[in-house]
Amino acid sequence: MNARSTPGSIPAHSVSSAEAQAAVDAALELAPLIDGHNDWAWECRENRGYSVEGLDGALETDTDIDRLRAGRVGGQFWSVYVEDTLEGAAAVQGALEQIDWVYRLAARYPDTFAIATSAAGVEAARAGGRIASLLGAEGAHCLNDSPGVLRMLARLGVRYLTLTHVHNTSWADSGTDEPVHGGLTARGVEYIRELNRLGLLVDLSHVSPATAHAALDVTSAPVIFSHSCCHGVTPHPRNVPDDVLARLAGNDGVLMVTFVPQFVSAEYAAWFDGDQSGPAPRVTLAQVADHVEHARAVAGIRHIGLGGDFDGTDEFPEQLEGVDGYPALLAELAGRGWNAAALAALAGANVLRVLRATDAAFAGGASTTTALTV
């Protein structure tokens, strides 16, 4: 069923800009806007020597404090990311440095950011007018295949693990590498169980469809895709096929739609992967909204969210060039007939529900016994 005709929506042609804005405002009273993936820590590693100074002014990056406020961001999963060409101890060190950056960010700007490790922490930050700062580790290569490292990341507050990045790990296939495991190995299955025990969310962005299905077969907790689009709209290997999307209803997980142009637009992807001598094709906010609507139609309103991937790629769609763009996307959807409750579900209520469902395990998991020790 198309999102424009779902119960609770109104015909798109009858929505004025004022009504659309009112729906956005009402939605963000109902739920905070929580983004699933932002690489500002990596950007500051690469270009600022991990400095947290001067981040409140206008920056050339996709993210700064002023634009986070303008974008009405209430919660952000900061990506703990290092390239998967880094291996072993270097990858672990890079992940720890990223975590340190987020903690220093919150300490440097205590009126703006608050570290959060639970749904209650997100809500407390919001009540205090601060942006809840959550941690998500992108790519299991940062574990150096050590369950002990995983447990230590949990103790440091990391709430999700992306199983792969661009390349396969020793126990899971990436969506952008030649498959070697057929999804998950037996050790990969044990890692999923350990993530469930620890209360860390299994993040299926970047993984192959076979890996996604295998993880969904095993997991006892809701999963997320922290920053992915829909293969049914744009057939890119980083995008999620409909048969995987459809399983989110049974799992109670969430696909967080990303804004990366090559995932949003087939025309841009062809240009990006081919001859770039001509101008890049336009990619629009409306095309991102098309992915959101497709995800809603296939997975259902409870299973969608937003994960922009700001500072994780060089270009973004028009009107979504920075973290101040979220209200424009919500307004586009409101103009298509989405009501405040639906917008609130997308903006943050859904991922907050998934956090809340795993909070008890996260609070107690690291202190209990486990079979996965080496």
Side-chain angles (χ1 to χ4, degrees), residues 184 188-202 204 212-224 247-253 353-354 356-359 361-362:
L184 290 173
V189 168
E190 291 305 311
Y191 265 111
I192 300 299
R193 291 174 177 152
E194 184 71 350
L195 287 163
N196 290 163
R197 188 188 70 81
L198 292 168
L200 268 76
L201 302 178
V202 175
L204 298 178
H213 279 297
L216 285 162
D217 288 343
V218 173
T219 185
S220 60
V223 304
I224 64 167
R247 296 189 63 181
L248 290 181
N251 169 263
D252 211 24
R353 180 192 76 245
V354 170
R356 191 172 290 111
T358 54
D359 278 345
F362 186 77

Side-chain angles (χ1 to χ4, degrees), residues 236-298:
H236 190 283
R238 267 285 278 109
N239 288 346
V240 183
D242 283 358
D243 64 336
V244 175
L245 266 181
R247 296 189 63 181
L248 290 181
N251 169 263
D252 211 24
V254 174
L255 171 81
M256 306 182 82
V257 174
T258 195
F259 308 156
V260 178
Q262 56 267 38
F263 308 159
V264 172
S265 162
E267 292 76 18
Y268 186 96
W271 174 87
F272 185 84
D273 293 330
D275 178 11
Q276 297 186 14
S277 59
R282 289 181 64 217
V283 184
T284 67
L285 175 149
Q287 289 174 290
V288 176
D290 291 343
H291 281 268
V292 175
E293 293 212 289
H294 183 87
R296 178 180 178 177
V298 175

Side-chain angles (χ1 to χ4, degrees), residues 138-169:
E138 185 176 23
H141 60 286
C142 75
L143 303 180
N144 193 23
D145 197 11
S146 168
V149 171
L150 175 63
R151 287 187 285 273
M152 288 300 98
L153 294 186
R155 283 190 166 96
L156 291 172
V158 173
R159 283 308 313 261
Y160 73 65
L161 176 72
T162 318
L163 303 187
T164 71
H165 195 244
V166 175
H167 300 102
N168 303 331
T169 67

Side-chain angles (χ1 to χ4, degrees), residues 35 37-44 48 51 53-71 73 76-79 101 105 109 112-113 131 133 308-313 316 320-326:
D35 180 89
H37 196 88
N38 182 299
D39 282 297
W40 202 19
W42 175 257
E43 170 66 29
C44 287
R48 298 177 62 89
S51 173
E53 297 301 318
L55 300 182
D56 47 355
L59 303 179
E60 293 183 1
T61 55
D62 307 326
T63 311
D64 58 46
I65 290 172
D66 288 349
R67 282 180 289 167
L68 284 165
R69 292 298 196 187
V73 176
Q76 179 65 65
F77 280 93
W78 300 111
S79 173
W101 181 88
L105 175 75
Y109 304 98
T112 300
F113 300 107
I131 299 167
S133 292
D309 202 10
F310 286 116
D311 286 304
T313 193
F316 284 92
L320 289 172
E321 293 93 347
V323 293
D324 53 343
Y326 301 102

